[in-house]
Amino acid sequence: KGRKSRSSRSSRAGLLFSVSRVDRQLRRGCFAERFGAKAPVFLAAVLQCVTHKTLDMAGKVSKKSKQRRISPAHLQEVMQRSSVLKQLLRGVVSSHHGEAVPQSQRVASPSKKETTRSKKR
């Protein structure tokens, strides 16, 4: 008899987010006595979709500001701009009383070659 190879619920659902982890958190959270087998799959899919859209929008903001990395300031700007995300995360995300997040100024640091040359002298 041929054995079936084991596959995770996430891979069967075609998700990157862990369905088992969401299932465990739902059980530990005592949100309901019982829930269906598809509930953690659906919730993991929704979490993955929201995360994907948020990071996509933050990537566009960081590209617009000519930076290669997404910073917390970019994420916060996305949260402030998007009415859907504002409504979804209402009361969860702290916004520092409406203050703008200060952009960190980059300071030119000496290259490694210059610092090694100055140390040799």
Side-chain angles (χ1 to χ4, degrees), residues 65-101:
S65 62
K66 297 178 182 173
Q67 293 181 354
R68 290 180 172 229
R69 294 184 183 166
I70 297 173
S71 69
H74 297 137
L75 288 170
Q76 194 166 27
E77 189 175 336
V78 167
M79 297 298 171
Q80 289 171 355
R81 283 186 185 179
S82 174
S83 61
V84 176
L85 284 175
K86 256 189 211 175
Q87 188 176 10
L88 181 67
L89 301 171
R90 185 180 26 195
V92 178
V93 179
S94 62
S95 64
H96 301 291
H97 308 291
E99 296 175 11
V101 177

Side-chain angles (χ1 to χ4, degrees), residues 5-54:
S5 62
R6 289 183 138 184
S7 62
S8 67
R9 289 190 283 176
S10 300
S11 64
R12 277 185 269 157
L15 297 173
L16 297 174
F17 275 44
S18 174
V19 174
S20 299
R21 185 173 293 168
V22 172
D23 188 15
R24 185 178 68 237
Q25 295 298 327
L26 279 174
R27 290 185 193 285
R28 284 187 184 169
C30 298
F31 299 108
E33 275 186 42
R34 300 166 58 173
F35 53 87
K38 294 180 184 177
V41 177
F42 184 77
L43 184 55
V46 169
L47 288 172
Q48 181 176 320
C49 180
V50 169
T51 305
H52 177 18
K53 295 227 183 227
T54 305

